[in-house]
Amino acid sequence: MPTEKKISGASDCINAMVEGSELKKVRSNSRIYHRYFLLDADMQSLRWEPSKKDSEKAKIDIKSIKEVRTGKNTDIFRSNGVSDQISEDCAFSVIYGENYESLDLVANSADVANIWVTGLRYLISYGKHTLDMLESSQDNMRTSWVSQMFSETDVDSLGHITLCSAVQCIRNLNPGLKTSKIELKFKELHKSKDKAGTEVTKEEFMEVFHELCTRPEIYFLLVQFSSNKEFLDAKDLMMFLEAEQGVAHVNEEVSLEIIHKFEPSTEGQGKGWLSIDGFTNYLMSPDCYIFDPEHKKVCQDMKQPLSHYFINSSHNTYLTEDQFRGPSDITGYIRALKMGCRSVELDVWDGPDNEPVIYTGHTLTSQIVFRSVIDIINKYAFFASEYPLILCLENHCSIKQQKVMVQHMRKILGDKLYTTSPSVEESYLPSPDVLKGRILVKAKKLSSNCSGVEGDVTDEDEGAEMSQRMGKENAELPNHVPVKRFQLCQELSELVSICKSVQFKEFQVSFQAQKYWEVCSFNEVLASKYANENPGDFVNYNKRFLARVFPSPMRIDSSNMNPQDFWKCGCQIVAMNFQTPGLMMDLNIGWFRQNGNCGYVLRPAIMREEVSFFSANTRDSVPGVSPQLLHVKIISGQNFPKPKGSGAKGDVVDPYVYVEIHGIPADCAEQRTKTVHQNGEAPIFDESFEFQINLPELAMVRFVVLDDDYIGDEFIGQYTIPFECLQTGYRHVPLQSLTGEVLPHASLFVHVAITNRRGGGKPHKRGLSVRKGKRSREYASLRTLWIKTVDEVFKNAQPPIRDATDLRENMQNAVVSFKELCGLSSVANLMQCMLAVAPRFLGPDNSPLVVLNLSEQYPTMELQGIVPEVLKKIVTTYDTMIQSLKALIENADAVYEKIVHCQKAAMEFHEHLHSIGTKEGLKERKLQKAVESFTWNITILKGQADLLKYAKNETWEHLKQIHFAAVSCGLNKPGTENAEVQKPRRSLEVIPEKANDENGE
């Protein structure tokens, strides 16, 4: 099949099918045959050759085709031994004949598959009159609009316009196109016609416009929902928004608003039609970006203790380059504060004229005056966020200049300084909400009965350590810097309230003696050691205390550590070198976008709850958290720029895309697309990937576009997004440069689906691809503590855990069985399933063979006469699914209450577990193991209760989707369309650990 001509409409698909193409024919015996398929010139049959069959048998009549399915969604594909080697995006099936036989095919590319699917669907609708219909009515709306654009440019009505005007007009309509590309297209067209001169006629203008401004991948998407029209009407768009984009509460009014906003033609706006150009405008607008707009504002609970949040933090904020010789500048503070940073560093030393200065001691970095930095902080502290700002004060000044520091801070910052003494009656730090608009000082503090004390310099005197290492190589620096001791003045000490710097000793000492207002700082090397050797202790430590991690002083080039290495342990203040771009800063910037970029992100519940089991280094699923599957299809790219500083290949770009997952070790993964050679303007990738996400709340997805070069692959653009901020459906990903600026008009077009996601009606995938019966089903296991009274409580929890698992998995298995019979994958939702089977439920005269009775809470299918066996099977499978949905809804509450009752009963032992275990004869290691097992069991119980709650919400969503789709397709039994799926007011709620539970869940 020729690929030179770009597909811009259904007639292009039909013409390409008449020319034919090689496709692979898949059989149930795992054999694959290469055949040449083509559409007869009279468009009445589909033929293939060579074949052992008689030529009259090696064909299918178009009239006999019932439907065309995309993907590997027939029994032959599912049972074929080589199915795993076949791309989902290249596979399609032709269902034909009274017995619904399937012709299962694989194209060489997703583009070719789309051409056949689109063409065949048009032929099913319009038969041999397809081309006549297309020629008489196709694209009249688009043709009129483009013609109008030409006429407006041709002001003198000459019938032609200059090449320059034509190029500018097309650029106005599609700003991402390069002028040189448009010019080249016109010149190629003129050359093919042996035309002299540079004037452009209307026909030439329209031909080049169609060639350059039609994105085939969006056209193929449009015709999936347009009922084989060349535009979407309000009802089609409504269905697309609900079924694909997951938009709730869509009505015709919402659809018309979108059409009026994005449809460029007056005719389309008047008739309520969205053309391919309007649909492209909509999909490329911020409305369809991958980032969920709900997260653009503060959307998390801000009333939790400060230690329950990750805090956007800067290291050596004053530096604009490396930390050894780099210049210091106040612009470092401006940049960080504008980016939402909530913890900045001030490394303060004695300066001339009794004015303290800021720089990295013992290095060659330049100096800035402390007062000017405080002025800038006062001006920009709450520019990007109203939540508290922490000043990490590394004090190396004499008593005299310490007093000057205090004067400047009190005079300039005034009431913004938070100096309230911590209450001994409290157990946790105040919340970000309580501390709005306040500035906290993190520094050393005198004990309450001292007016001055001599002590060692702070642990973070990085310059000293760096200088010792660098001195051997640099004659300007001493080989040894003696440890400095300094006096701390009372006035400076009084500025420190709830962020008192103390030295970390060991976890058990901290658990017993550290005050909640004391903060420890960890060198990156030490923090990594604890993360690897004591991951559980580190997580538990950070549930109550703030921990700051700063880069190793040996990062002389100011490179960055991976913040995920410490976020997974719950470390709140992971200080980053904001002046150094790259992967690590991409992760930091992306991570803090998820809560309105306010600088605070609430940590996962499993990292906050007092009794919860979580190990930072887990390489398996997290107890109590259901894994989720992320399905990403990289469809295409738009307007990739040439990598900066690259000139070896001229203007040629050979792009490929990496999809990376960053999170706990069990989640870290990456996959890449193939390289598309010599196409940076509109490369088509059409590749799908799947990732298991075990702790979604700590995961990030990063899209990276690179230029494939034999010398070394070069960076084109990237976009990093927290998993929780992903919008599902068809989305554009706006690419950013290495330094974080948006690349004009450069984007990726992707499809995102998430299965087993909490809420939102997203279908579960776990346990679906291999449907397990009860005998082979895996149930959550509880551990034995060897404390009889406690073990008895947990033993009582096993039956309701099994019941909860059975309710969930029976429902999930029944739903996936129905999806398979509908010819869809497990990623599809039930609305898409109902849309897929609706045409099969119509008889020859378009009267329904099956209707849905929506008068009851659980919609039933009713046969309207004699129906084929294959439809009876769909109805039977649907009934089984409805029964499983009903069973879950009607039994979930009682099972949930039993699990929660066991959880509450077990928690009665929590405070005295050590003493009970000791009485039972448990000592040291066995006692410690019992406490760990108790925490594990509580985590499992909470998780099972949560999963049942989410499954019930999901079941209601299934019923709503069935109801909505039945009404939209006209399959509802007359008189039942106004019935509503009503959810009972009482809903399952998580039982808190204590009455004053700090989790805010």
Side-chain angles (χ1 to χ4, degrees), residues 9-12 14-15 18 41 43 122 126-141 143-144 206 210 219 228-230:
S11 57
D12 294 333
I14 302 292
N15 291 331
V18 170
M43 293 184 293
Y122 265 83
Y126 303 109
K128 64 181 180 180
H129 304 295
T130 300
L131 278 181
D132 296 335
M133 183 280 300
L134 291 169
E135 284 171 11
S136 62
S137 64
Q138 172 203 338
D139 248 0
N140 278 344
M141 183 166 73
T143 302
S144 300
M206 294 179 75
H210 277 79
Y219 172 74
N228 299 322
K229 305 186 297 290
E230 296 290 289

Side-chain angles (χ1 to χ4, degrees), residues 9 30 59 68 140 184 223 249 295 388 558 581 751 935 967:
S30 295
K59 71 170 189 176
V68 183
N140 278 344
L184 183 62
V223 294
H249 313 300
H295 290 270
S558 288
H751 181 265
T935 305
V967 174

Side-chain angles (χ1 to χ4, degrees), residues 76 102 108 239 303 312 412 420 448 520 568 596 624 635 724 730 773 776 828 918 962:
I76 287 178
S102 69
N108 291 328
M239 201 60 69
K303 293 180 169 61
N312 195 358
I412 296 168
T420 306
S448 56
C520 290
K568 72 182 182 185
I635 302 170
E724 297 285 301
Y730 289 92
S776 60
T918 304
I962 292 168

Side-chain angles (χ1 to χ4, degrees), residues 271-288:
K271 292 180 177 178
W273 293 349
L274 195 64
S275 67
I276 177 66
D277 302 291
F279 192 42
T280 303
N281 289 342
Y282 171 61
L283 287 174
M284 292 191 73
S285 73
D287 291 14
C288 290

Side-chain angles (χ1 to χ4, degrees), residues 405-430:
M405 286 166 58
V406 174
Q407 288 171 8
H408 290 325
M409 292 169 77
R410 287 203 177 276
K411 182 179 179 182
I412 296 168
L413 301 178
D415 293 340
K416 292 175 186 173
L417 283 169
Y418 183 83
T419 56
T420 306
S421 298
S423 169
V424 291
E425 296 173 3
E426 299 289 336
S427 302
Y428 287 92
L429 293 167

Side-chain angles (χ1 to χ4, degrees), residues 602-778:
L602 188 63
R603 296 184 306 167
I606 202 165
M607 287 183 164
R608 306 188 319 261
E609 292 166 346
E610 186 181 346
V611 183
S612 61
F613 183 92
F614 175 68
S615 174
N617 288 335
T618 181
R619 295 190 176 274
D620 204 347
S621 58
V622 179
V625 178
S626 178
Q628 297 180 18
L629 283 173
L630 170 65
H631 311 262
V632 178
K633 180 179 180 180
I634 306 295
I635 302 170
S636 64
Q638 295 76 45
N639 308 310
F640 294 159
K642 185 73 185 155
K644 279 189 175 179
S646 172
K649 299 190 297 183
D651 287 333
V652 175
V653 176
D654 301 307
Y656 66 94
V657 182
Y658 261 111
V659 183
E660 304 170 350
I661 306 298
H662 298 267
I664 60 172
D667 292 342
C668 291
E670 63 179 27
Q671 295 197 55
R672 65 157 283 180
T673 67
K674 63 182 179 296
T675 297
V676 177
H677 293 287
Q678 300 188 16
N679 189 349
E681 289 151 350
I684 299 289
F685 298 101
D686 271 324
E687 289 192 61
S688 299
F689 306 117
E690 185 178 288
F691 302 92
Q692 178 165 309
I693 312 294
N694 294 284
L695 186 55
E697 290 171 285
L698 210 61
M700 278 192 285
V701 184
R702 185 170 184 256
F703 300 90
V704 191
V705 183
L706 298 168
D707 184 12
D708 199 340
D709 195 336
Y710 63 90
I711 299 173
D713 297 351
E714 295 184 88
F715 177 90
I716 293 175
Q718 69 84 32
Y719 187 79
T720 307
I721 179 172
F723 180 85
E724 297 285 301
C725 299
L726 289 170
Q727 287 206 98
T728 55
Y730 289 92
R731 304 289 169 185
H732 275 90
V733 180
L735 294 176
Q736 297 176 342
S737 71
L738 192 63
T739 50
E741 291 89 15
V742 173
L743 294 170
H745 312 297
S747 63
L748 286 170
F749 186 43
V750 302
H751 181 265
V752 176
I754 297 169
T755 53
N756 194 25
R757 187 170 189 170
R758 296 178 174 184
K762 307 290 192 303
H764 288 252
K765 178 84 178 260
R766 191 182 186 187
L768 293 190
S769 50
V770 179
R771 293 191 295 283
K772 296 179 181 178
K774 284 190 179 182
R775 288 184 182 179
S776 60
R777 190 167 284 170
E778 294 176 8

Side-chain angles (χ1 to χ4, degrees), residues 502-521:
V502 296
Q503 189 169 8
F504 180 80
K505 292 178 182 174
E506 58 181 58
F507 288 114
Q508 294 310 315
V509 171
S510 294
F511 291 146
Q512 293 171 14
Q514 188 171 333
K515 305 292 189 294
Y516 71 86
W517 61 81
E518 294 176 336
V519 182
C520 290
S521 289

Side-chain angles (χ1 to χ4, degrees), residues 838-852 862-867 871 969-974:
R840 299 182 223 171
F841 288 166
L842 296 177
D845 58 350
N846 278 336
S847 60
L849 299 174
V850 178
V851 295
L852 275 87
E862 297 179 1
L863 301 179
Q864 302 297 292
I866 300 172
V867 298
L871 291 189
C969 298
L971 285 178
N972 56 294
K973 187 175 182 178

